[in-house]
Amino acid sequence: MAERYELKQKEVWDGNMAAAHALRQAQVDVVAAYPITPSTPIVQNYAQFLADGYVDGEFIMVESEHSAMSACVGAAAAGGRVATATSSQGYALMVEVLYQASGMRLPIVMTVVNRALASPLNIHGDHSDLYLGRDAGWIHIIANNPQEAYDLTLCAFRIGEDERVRLPVTTNQDGFLVSHTAQVVEPLQDEEAYKFIGEYKALNPMLDTKNPVTYGAQTEEEWHFEHKANQHKALMESFPVIEEVFNEFEKVSGRKYNVVETYKLDDADIALVLMGSAYETAMLAVDKAREEGIKVGLLMPRVFRPFPYNEVAEKLKNVKAIAALDRSAPMGTTGALYNEVAGALAAKGQSAIMTNYIYGLGGRDTTVEHILEVIRETEKNAKAGKRVTDLQGFINLRGPKLSFN
Amino acid sequence: MLQIRWHSRAGQGAVTGAKALADVMARTGKYVQAYSVYGAEKRGAPMTAYDKIDDKPILDHSKWMTPDYVLVIDPSLVFQEEIVDNTTDDTIFIVTSHMDKEDLLSVAKHLQGKKVYVVDAIKISQEEIGRAIPNTPMLGAFMKVSGIIPFEDFLVSIEDILSKFPKKIIEGNLRAIKRAYEEVK
């Protein structure tokens, strides 16, 4: 029986330590991992917890991330609670198996520390890996600080394992900006956290030999479409469960998460939409802009997949201009978040003026002052009643100004 | 908000030092952020670490800051002009050096006119801990110069934070901290 870990009411943890403690408290049956910067300390801390007697489950060191996710699929199909961690190139190597995991409806939890994708090689934070996994059929939840990385990892188990969902879930935190930044975290005590997550309920476990089942069967044109449509339906219909879990979490922690987060949006004329640690930096920019008389608010999809397009549109219905900020190279079009928000507005017949900004690639610093510039440009569009700034701009990019229209 | 920037070489313990300071301050009810900036380079490469300390939750996740304190724990980095980047006339520098302040300023010209304190954190850590890990003595010097919390309270917290280490290491660190507290000038 795992030992109880003594936790203070307030700990000073970085995002990696926070995620590792959440995995420990979930009493995962199997963690299979291949450590990679900047998520290495999640795996390292977890292995330490195991060595020190705080974890009962198995920890498997494998030879690659492809194997890590494959081992996770095997263990989850066998009927265990399963988790792993990765970043960037490791995430990329997993992609094939990410689709297998979701197609087999295995509620694996993966704590992702977001990092740029090579080439050029870069170990720092951006959302390239998150965007790479966008269509893999996983639920993707975004954490902006170590507290959220902890809280949302606990929630991830309960969301993914719910019988109405049964899908794998990633929690995402920005490499270094969250993963290696120590802040005050108020954890739940072990028994409280475990009670919140609950016992793992195996569904069609392969180790139940009296009821043999097949995972990963072949389906061609007769049934493949139905399986995929069913999987999509599960994602689309997971919102009420996610909200339910967030409400339950508020009861035990006092901290409330929402599928769509907003900041000072109620009376706003303009809005910025962004995800990750920069959302919090942007709060400070909003406060400053409001001192200048600019009524600006923020919106963040806490859940990137499934994408809450109806709620996003509803919350943005009164703003005149919107800037969507993407922390990933858009490679040939407007950024993914811009496209999601534009699609959400179009579906409701809303016509706020929209622009797109690319920022923070490979860990490039994004300051309050940078975000204030975006707010001021967005304000110009709102005042003019039409787009007078570039469709796509780049924040804190060296060299001559780059923009696209 | 109080902002502190550490200059160090990878392996000298600036990240651990910054995190320990954050932990100490969090125990007094403050909100904190401790982080570092480095690439994939190995031991010995110059790097920076940061502390932010405030009465309210810290939302700014940018790396940029105008430090109130600059702590330089490697004696060779004192001569790099980067240590004065984004500082103001009020920024206080605590640097590790075997030189006295006058000799140091005559060669490290970028520090002239700045508020500079000197402590030989390398020598202190070598003598008291047995290794050139100048992070904890720098914390002792910082406590003396800043007076941010009572020194006795700091000692209680830091001893608890170091409690995972063997007794000999803890005692060495405490001696180094106290010596730096006395010797910084």
Side-chain angles (χ1 to χ4, degrees):
Chain A
M1 183 65 187
E3 302 226 15
R4 184 178 186 276
Y5 198 103
E6 286 297 326
L7 293 171
K8 294 201 292 287
Q9 196 206 334
K10 286 184 180 178
E11 297 281 353
V12 177
W13 286 345
D14 61 20
N16 279 328
M17 183 58 92
H21 272 287
L23 296 185
R24 180 186 61 74
Q25 290 184 321
Q27 286 299 327
V28 179
D29 294 305
V30 176
V31 168
Y34 188 79
I36 181 168
T37 304
S39 58
T40 302
I42 297 180
V43 180
Q44 189 181 339
N45 294 332
Y46 187 82
Q48 186 74 53
F49 295 147
L50 183 105
D52 293 345
Y54 295 109
V55 171
D56 284 333
E58 303 274 330
F59 173 70
I60 314 172
M61 274 289 280
V62 287
E63 72 278 18
S64 76
E65 286 87 355
H66 190 279
S67 305
M69 188 45 64
S70 298
C72 286
V73 164
R81 176 174 282 162
V82 175
T84 186
T86 199
S87 298
S88 183
Q89 310 305 126
Y91 194 115
L93 190 55
M94 275 184 185
V95 166
E96 185 202 356
V97 197
L98 294 183
Y99 280 72
Q100 310 261 15
S102 62
M104 295 183 209
R105 306 289 298 273
L106 300 170
I108 298 161
V109 170
M110 179 156 77
T111 54
V112 179
V113 176
N114 300 116
R115 166 185 153 184
L117 282 165
S119 179
L121 185 63
N122 178 296
I123 61 165
H124 286 99
D126 73 28
H127 294 160
S128 301
D129 45 15
L130 168 64
Y131 283 18
L132 179 66
R134 196 183 54 192
D135 294 346
W138 289 52
I139 293 173
H140 299 297
I141 306 176
I142 317 296
N144 300 340
N145 58 45
Q147 179 76 64
E148 295 184 359
Y150 169 80
D151 290 348
L152 294 167
T153 303
L154 295 182
C155 290
F157 285 99
R158 191 152 157 184
I159 291 166
E161 291 172 10
D162 191 288
E163 284 186 40
R164 294 163 289 175
V165 179
R166 297 305 282 196
L167 285 168
V169 184
T170 70
T171 57
N172 294 265
Q173 53 172 303
D174 285 337
F176 291 94
L177 299 172
V178 180
S179 70
H180 286 61
T181 299
Q183 293 194 243
V184 175
V185 176
E186 296 182 36
L188 303 183
Q189 290 302 322
D190 285 2
E191 52 279 12
E192 208 178 2
Y194 190 75
K195 195 175 154 212
F196 168 74
I197 297 171
E199 286 282 319
Y200 185 75
K201 287 187 206 74
L203 202 65
N204 303 318
M206 292 189 86
L207 286 181
D208 178 6
T209 49
K210 290 204 182 78
N211 298 291
V213 290
T214 298
Y215 276 84
Q218 189 170 359
T219 61
E220 293 306 332
E221 71 274 24
E222 315 92 317
W223 285 109
H224 185 82
F225 198 175
E226 283 69 25
H227 276 287
K228 284 296 166 193
N230 199 24
Q231 195 186 330
H232 173 60
K233 182 167 176 284
L235 268 168
M236 295 290 272
E237 292 178 353
S238 65
F239 285 121
V241 177
I242 297 171
E243 279 166 0
E244 214 175 282
V245 172
F246 284 170
N247 287 336
E248 288 298 313
F249 188 73
E250 186 191 12
K251 285 183 197 160
V252 295
S253 70
R255 294 184 290 274
K256 177 74 169 84
Y257 294 97
N258 301 286
V259 166
V260 176
E261 303 288 1
T262 59
Y263 182 69
K264 299 194 176 173
L265 192 57
D266 286 349
D267 67 339
D269 293 327
I270 62 169
L272 267 50
V273 180
L274 71 171
M275 307 186 288
S277 59
Y279 180 80
E280 293 199 333
T281 310
M283 287 178 175
L284 300 173
V286 164
D287 291 349
K288 281 203 172 175
R290 281 181 171 259
E291 283 169 19
E292 292 174 18
I294 304 175
K295 282 163 99 177
V296 54
L298 300 177
L299 180 142
M300 170 175 125
R302 174 71 70 188
V303 180
F304 185 51
R305 278 296 181 275
F307 192 79
Y309 50 85
N310 281 325
E311 207 177 330
V312 166
E314 173 64 26
K315 291 206 184 308
L316 292 172
K317 69 179 178 198
N318 293 324
V319 298
K320 300 185 186 87
I322 300 164
L325 280 63
D326 282 278
R327 192 168 204 147
S328 181
M331 293 305 169
T333 183
T334 40
L337 198 51
Y338 171 95
N339 293 342
E340 298 293 359
V341 175
L345 298 191
K348 295 273 188 188
Q350 291 169 221
S351 55
I353 304 152
M354 281 206 61
T355 49
N356 182 212
Y357 290 85
I358 308 301
Y359 75 102
L361 301 197
R364 175 62 52 85
D365 208 12
T366 306
T367 63
V368 171
E369 208 45 53
H370 292 134
I371 297 169
L372 263 173
E373 275 172 47
V374 173
I375 292 172
R376 289 186 194 120
E377 288 196 3
T378 310
E379 168 80 349
K380 276 186 209 162
N381 290 333
K383 280 214 168 123
K386 58 179 185 182
R387 186 166 63 78
V388 293
T389 65
D390 297 314
L391 173 62
Q392 186 175 57
F394 294 77
I395 302 171
N396 195 15
L397 179 72
R398 293 184 197 219
K401 185 178 183 227
L402 183 67
S403 62
F404 294 99
N405 284 291
Chain B
M1 180 162 61
L2 187 72
Q3 304 181 95
I4 300 159
R5 188 174 70 208
W6 298 65
H7 291 263
S8 160
R9 292 189 180 277
Q12 285 178 326
V15 179
T16 313
K19 284 188 175 173
L21 178 59
D23 204 336
V24 167
M25 296 311 296
R27 290 164 192 237
T28 70
K30 298 280 186 188
Y31 289 92
V32 295
Q33 225 182 41
Y35 58 98
S36 55
V37 174
Y38 54 89
E41 63 266 327
K42 304 290 180 275
R43 273 173 176 273
M47 50 87 63
T48 47
Y50 302 80
D51 281 295
K52 294 179 194 165
I53 299 161
D54 206 351
D55 293 324
K56 52 184 195 294
I58 297 166
L59 298 173
D60 192 342
H61 290 277
S62 67
K63 299 164 204 164
W64 192 85
M65 67 158 60
T66 45
D68 300 295
Y69 288 88
V70 171
L71 312 180
V72 185
I73 65 171
D74 181 83
S76 65
L77 294 178
V78 176
F79 300 101
Q80 291 208 342
E81 289 185 18
E82 285 81 3
I83 64 170
V84 300
D85 284 354
N86 303 321
T87 58
T88 67
D89 290 344
D90 292 327
T91 302
I92 294 170
F93 293 77
I94 310 176
V95 302
T96 187
S97 179
H98 67 280
M99 300 164 87
D100 65 24
K101 188 173 157 185
E102 203 179 322
D103 290 347
L104 182 67
L105 293 190
S106 69
V107 273
K109 291 195 167 56
H110 50 283
L111 286 176
Q112 287 173 4
K114 302 278 184 188
K115 295 176 180 167
V116 180
Y117 292 83
V118 181
V119 62
D120 195 347
I122 294 283
K123 185 176 163 212
I124 292 173
S125 61
Q126 278 173 330
E127 289 179 3
E128 302 299 340
I129 309 168
R131 286 173 68 198
I133 305 290
N135 56 1
T136 50
M138 179 53 80
L139 287 175
F142 173 71
M143 285 297 140
K144 176 71 167 282
V145 174
S146 68
I148 189 167
I149 55 169
F151 191 51
E152 297 70 33
D153 294 359
F154 170 77
L155 289 174
V156 170
S157 293
I158 200 75
E159 191 171 354
D160 185 55
I161 291 164
L162 293 169
S163 62
K164 63 184 172 189
F165 292 107
K167 194 158 173 260
K168 199 178 144 211
I169 303 280
I170 299 171
E171 284 171 356
N173 274 281
L174 291 175
R175 278 199 309 274
I177 288 166
K178 287 175 189 163
R179 216 179 121 184
Y181 183 87
E182 296 302 329
E183 292 181 11
V184 63
K185 56 188 172 208

